[in-house]
């Protein structure tokens, strides 16, 4: 139990860090933190990522109870190999290091202009006064918190990292996968919020894609060897 927990934790941590650094939600958190209070952006992004991690691991934990463990192993192996090849292909074809950052920034800029245009009558002083008068707990359900939560949650839904987490949870200790995923998400999101655009612009999307591709292929090979060893033991 202890070894399986540690293995699930380390695999999930490594996969999450390499999947999330340079991801769209990473860039979104960095840009949002430049325009809104960091604590609200961090709280919203982390809440979304924790909910998404728990949901993904729950699906992965349920999967072997719906289909045979043999087939869940096969599906997980195919997913890891497929994502590994996909990530390597993305890494080799990557030309502009900041293409995804520019895409996310352009979208958020459009949203920002729309918001500021509709709120021209509000002065900065009155906004600050309202924030000070608002109870501490209700700040975390403010439009800023909800915006950070929704952008992150829907940005991660159906993403490669979510599907990989489901596959990993079907193969490894689900508690270890949850813990590793949450720690990895917390590290990446905190770095994005604190570092802002200056940190995001320094990240090589090409190297992140190549590294995550290699990691996925290693996980796929390990899953394949585990299935082969189990078959040979029968």
């Amino acid at each position: 139990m202890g070894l399986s927990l540690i293995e699930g934790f380390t695999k999930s941590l490594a996969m999450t860090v390499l999947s999330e650094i340079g991801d769209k939600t990473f860039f979104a958190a960095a840009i949002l933190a430049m325009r809104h209070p960091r604590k609200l952006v961090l709280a919203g992004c982390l809440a979304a990522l924790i909910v998404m991690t728990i949901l993904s691991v729950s699906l992965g934990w349920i999967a072997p109870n719906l289909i045979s463990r043999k087939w869940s192993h096969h599906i997980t192996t195919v997913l890891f190999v497929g994502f590994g090849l996909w990530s390597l292909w993305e890494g080799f074809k990557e030309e502009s290091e900041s293409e995804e950052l520019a895409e996310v920034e352009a979208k958020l800029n459009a949203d920002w202009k729309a918001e500021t245009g509709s709120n021209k009558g509000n002065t900065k002083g009155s906004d600050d006064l309202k924030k000070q008068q608002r109870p501490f707990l209700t700040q975390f359900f403010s439009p800023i918190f909800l915006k950070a939560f929704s952008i992150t949650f829907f940005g991660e839904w159906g993403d490669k990292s979510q599907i990989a987490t489901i596959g990993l949870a079907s193969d490894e200790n689900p508690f270890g996968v949850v813990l590793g995923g949450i720690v990895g998400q917390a590290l990446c999101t905190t770095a994005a919020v604190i570092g802002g655009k200056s940190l995001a612009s320094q990240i090589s999307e090409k190297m992140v894609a190549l590294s995550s591709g290699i990691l996925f292929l290693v996980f796929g090979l390990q899953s394949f060897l585990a299935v082969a060893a189990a078959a040979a033991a029968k």
Side-chain angles (χ1 to χ4, degrees):
M1 176 69 178
L3 287 176
S4 66
L5 182 71
I6 293 172
E7 187 175 356
F9 174 84
T10 52
K11 282 187 175 182
S12 180
L13 178 62
M15 183 189 73
T16 300
V17 169
L18 285 177
S19 297
E20 292 305 319
I21 288 182
D23 191 30
K24 285 184 179 180
T25 51
F26 179 91
F27 292 139
I31 295 168
L32 284 172
M34 295 168 59
R35 299 169 177 170
H36 303 292
R38 288 180 176 178
K39 64 179 181 180
L40 294 182
V41 173
L42 181 61
C45 292
L46 275 182
L49 292 168
I50 289 171
V51 170
M52 181 63 71
T53 300
I54 293 173
L55 282 175
S56 302
V57 172
S58 298
L59 289 172
W61 178 71
I62 292 170
N65 297 315
L66 300 177
I67 58 176
S68 69
R69 183 159 290 277
K70 177 183 175 181
W71 278 105
S72 70
H73 273 304
H74 287 324
I75 292 170
T76 300
T77 302
V78 171
L79 282 175
F80 281 143
V81 172
F83 286 150
L85 295 175
W86 181 9
S87 297
L88 289 176
W89 178 73
E90 285 183 334
F92 284 122
K93 79 177 181 66
E94 189 73 50
E95 294 179 0
S96 174
E97 297 293 351
S98 59
E99 182 180 341
E100 196 158 19
L101 173 60
E103 180 186 336
V104 173
E105 189 172 17
K107 185 179 184 306
L108 290 177
N109 277 338
D111 294 342
W112 175 259
K113 286 177 183 177
E115 288 176 7
T116 52
S118 62
N119 295 322
K120 280 184 179 178
N122 294 333
T123 63
K124 187 178 185 301
S126 63
D127 286 343
D128 290 341
L129 183 61
K130 286 179 182 177
K131 286 177 186 176
Q132 290 173 6
Q133 292 175 342
R134 187 182 297 162
F136 177 76
L137 288 177
T138 59
Q139 289 185 30
F140 287 95
F141 294 96
S142 67
I144 298 170
F145 174 91
L146 295 175
K147 181 178 181 179
F149 183 96
S150 59
I151 287 175
T152 304
F153 187 86
F154 292 110
E156 285 294 312
W157 188 263
D159 190 58
K160 181 170 57 179
S161 60
Q162 186 208 9
I163 299 171
T165 300
I166 295 172
L168 189 63
S170 68
D171 250 5
E172 302 292 341
N173 185 300
F175 296 107
V177 176
V178 166
L179 289 173
I182 290 175
V183 170
Q185 301 283 13
L187 290 174
C188 293
T189 307
T190 303
V193 169
I194 294 175
K197 187 183 173 183
S198 59
L199 173 63
S201 62
Q202 298 300 315
I203 292 171
S204 169
E205 295 174 34
K206 185 183 185 75
M207 289 307 300
V208 170
L210 293 175
S211 300
S212 60
I214 292 171
L215 184 69
F216 278 130
L217 288 178
V218 169
F219 285 172
L221 177 62
Q222 191 174 33
S223 181
F224 171 78
L225 293 175
V227 172
K234 290 184 179 179

